[in-house]
Amino acid sequence: MMLDRLGLPVGNVDIHLASIQAKSLLILRLGAVLLAAIVISQNFTNYGSIVHDMAADLQTNEAGMGLLSLFLYAMIGVSYLLGGTLSDRFGPQRVLAHALLIVGLGNCLLGLYPTLSWVLLCRAVVGGAAGTAIVAASQTASRMGPQAPLWQGLFGGGMQLGAALGIFLTPRMEVVQKWENAFLLWGCLAILAGVSWSCLQFLPLPSLPSTQTRALLRRRVGILGTLGLVHLGTLGLGQALAPWLPTYFMRDQGMPMDQAILLGALTLLIGMMTRPLGGWLLAHGVASSQLILVGTALATSGLSMLVGSGRASLLWLAIIGLILFSIGTTLPYAGVFQQASYEGQITAWRPATAQGIVSLLSSPGSAGGPALIGILLSQGGGFALSFTCFTLISLVSLFIALFASSVLPAMPSLAASTLPPHVSRKERS
């Protein structure tokens, strides 16, 4: 052998090559996770900064533009369970790849006919695929071993980055001042993400608990309901307000369009840091119930400040309120999804299906919130009434979070729980 003649130990070379291969695969997966998150979540806000151009071409008003979010999030909510079921059956990476391709196709076709009915149809198709992709991507992050919470947070941070880019980049993607071209470019990027996921090595499917164990723990499905309602008051409200942030700064705070778009994007970028922070805290021993409680408290405080800023016309109070709201709606993200995955592993619900149930329960806020804001604005009101309604919903979520802190079970050591059940303690160490 050539290595023997050179005096190099074959075993050490194999280990070194395997280490390089593992690190390369890790970097590729990280890039693929971030790209998937961006092309999914940009759909939440991509029309927010070009809402007036689209409304003029589609011959509609703010209430009609609110339907773009309603159709998107309604289909996202419907497809959450489908995404969970398919991910448990065929594997999350395979499902994610196909879902991203459909997201891309829907965006590419959206500008083909500039009519409201066609745009809403394409948004519904994109929403169905996006909901499936969200659950599949979250379940992929849950299978990343001991660092699963951090991966969950990184995916959530990428989602916030995508929402911010949807606001900030979309106006700059209008080639020859046509909003249809912006959607075409986003669609091509989503197709690229789908192709990249189809080329990655698939993760193995986890083993399910025994039928006896699953039957004994069916009653714990109520915990998924608790997680879902808390998720509605955090992620759901955050997604509801996101596409309207530029309009809020222009309409209620009197900012120029460019400044309003920039400030709206920066507000969303806060979540790009706090979602991974939540995953890091979860991986270092902080309980998911603690993250949920702190997050809902911050979100409620932020909304209360937004209500006060509207009545007193105080920009600084509005900015502080939005910062607290952004932190509060994003910090519990990894805790909610990781806890849901754990509940799915120990009950009759499979991990991805459990995450789909939690996401489904949060969808009314995401789907109905933007439409509610649009209706209130079209009636001549400002954002103060919308913020008041959101505050009441957030208060309910805060009370549920207080209840959850006493009923949510502690998750076992992630390093141990990701190993097969037949591995002994000696082998784990």
Side-chain angles (χ1 to χ4, degrees):
M1 291 291 182
M2 181 64 67
L3 292 175
D4 292 335
R5 293 176 181 176
L6 294 175
L8 296 176
V10 178
N12 290 344
V13 172
D14 291 340
I15 293 174
H16 182 65
L17 291 176
S19 177
I20 294 176
Q21 184 179 10
K23 290 179 180 179
S24 300
L25 182 59
L26 182 66
I27 294 174
L28 288 174
R29 280 180 175 164
L30 177 59
V33 165
L34 293 177
L35 181 59
I38 289 171
V39 298
I40 292 171
S41 60
Q42 61 82 23
N43 293 288
F44 304 160
T45 58
N46 54 15
Y47 76 92
S49 51
I50 56 173
V51 62
H52 299 294
D53 294 339
M54 291 186 67
D57 288 349
L58 300 178
Q59 299 180 355
T60 186
N61 57 13
E62 290 165 326
M65 293 306 297
L67 293 177
L68 270 68
S69 286
L70 176 62
F71 274 64
L72 177 78
Y73 285 117
M75 288 305 298
I76 286 177
V78 169
S79 62
Y80 277 142
L81 282 179
L82 175 63
T85 303
L86 292 176
S87 296
D88 285 325
R89 177 66 179 85
F90 300 105
Q93 291 184 230
R94 189 174 285 107
V95 173
L96 177 59
H98 288 84
L100 290 175
L101 292 174
I102 298 175
V103 169
L105 182 62
N107 275 315
C108 289
L109 296 177
L110 187 142
L112 191 60
Y113 300 105
T115 63
L116 182 60
S117 58
W118 176 257
V119 169
L120 292 178
L121 175 62
C122 290
R123 290 286 284 183
V125 172
V126 170
T132 302
I134 289 171
V135 178
S138 179
Q139 185 55 210
T140 300
S142 297
R143 299 180 184 185
M144 290 297 184
Q147 298 300 318
L150 183 58
W151 278 90
Q152 199 76 257
L154 289 172
F155 171 68
M159 292 281 283
Q160 286 295 115
L161 175 61
L165 293 176
I167 287 180
F168 185 74
L169 289 184
T170 301
R172 292 156 179 79
M173 298 168 70
E174 289 184 285
V175 182
V176 200
Q177 298 299 312
K178 288 187 176 181
W179 54 266
E180 296 95 329
N181 294 325
F183 285 95
L184 176 63
L185 292 176
W186 281 123
C188 292
L189 188 61
I191 292 174
L192 175 63
V195 172
S196 67
W197 272 101
S198 65
C199 296
L200 285 176
Q201 178 182 350
F202 292 116
L203 292 173
L205 294 175
S207 59
L208 295 175
S210 66
T211 305
Q212 181 181 7
T213 303
R214 291 165 58 192
L216 289 174
L217 296 172
R218 285 179 185 274
R219 65 184 183 275
R220 299 183 65 172
V221 69
I223 295 177
L224 297 180
T226 302
L227 291 171
L229 294 176
V230 169
H231 207 40
L232 185 151
T234 52
L235 178 76
L237 295 184
Q239 289 180 338
L241 183 58
W244 289 105
L245 285 175
T247 304
Y248 165 70
F249 286 117
M250 287 188 294
R251 184 164 181 160
D252 281 28
Q253 301 297 335
M255 283 187 173
M257 180 181 292
D258 290 342
Q259 293 182 14
I261 292 174
L262 178 60
L263 193 54
L266 290 176
T267 302
L268 293 173
L269 283 176
I270 294 173
M272 185 184 69
M273 297 178 288
T274 52
R275 283 189 177 182
L277 174 62
W280 183 86
L281 291 173
L282 193 67
H284 287 76
V286 177
S288 59
S289 58
Q290 293 175 324
L291 293 177
I292 290 171
L293 183 58
V294 172
T296 50
L298 290 175
T300 305
S301 301
L303 286 169
S304 301
M305 290 183 182
L306 287 171
V307 173
S309 68
R311 295 178 178 178
S313 299
L314 297 175
L315 177 59
W316 65 269
L317 187 59
I319 293 177
I320 294 175
L322 281 173
I323 291 174
L324 292 179
F325 177 72
S326 181
I327 295 174
T329 55
T330 54
L331 185 64
Y333 183 89
V336 169
F337 274 99
Q338 199 64 28
Q339 186 77 47
S341 179
Y342 171 67
E343 292 297 323
Q345 291 173 6
I346 64 175
T347 65
W349 306 100
R350 294 185 175 189
T353 303
Q355 290 178 332
I357 293 173
V358 170
S359 299
L360 174 63
L361 293 174
S362 72
S363 61
S366 304
L372 174 64
I373 294 175
I375 292 173
L376 294 176
L377 291 178
S378 67
Q379 299 300 318
F383 280 85
L385 184 56
S386 301
F387 290 150
T388 302
C389 295
F390 283 11
T391 302
L392 295 176
I393 297 173
S394 187
L395 280 171
V396 175
S397 296
L398 179 58
F399 285 117
I400 295 175
L402 288 170
F403 169 75
S405 62
S406 61
V407 300
L408 286 181
M411 290 183 287
S413 172
L414 290 167
S417 63
T418 53
L419 293 173
H422 62 270
V423 178
S424 64
R425 293 184 179 270
K426 292 182 179 180
E427 291 173 317
R428 292 183 184 191
S429 59

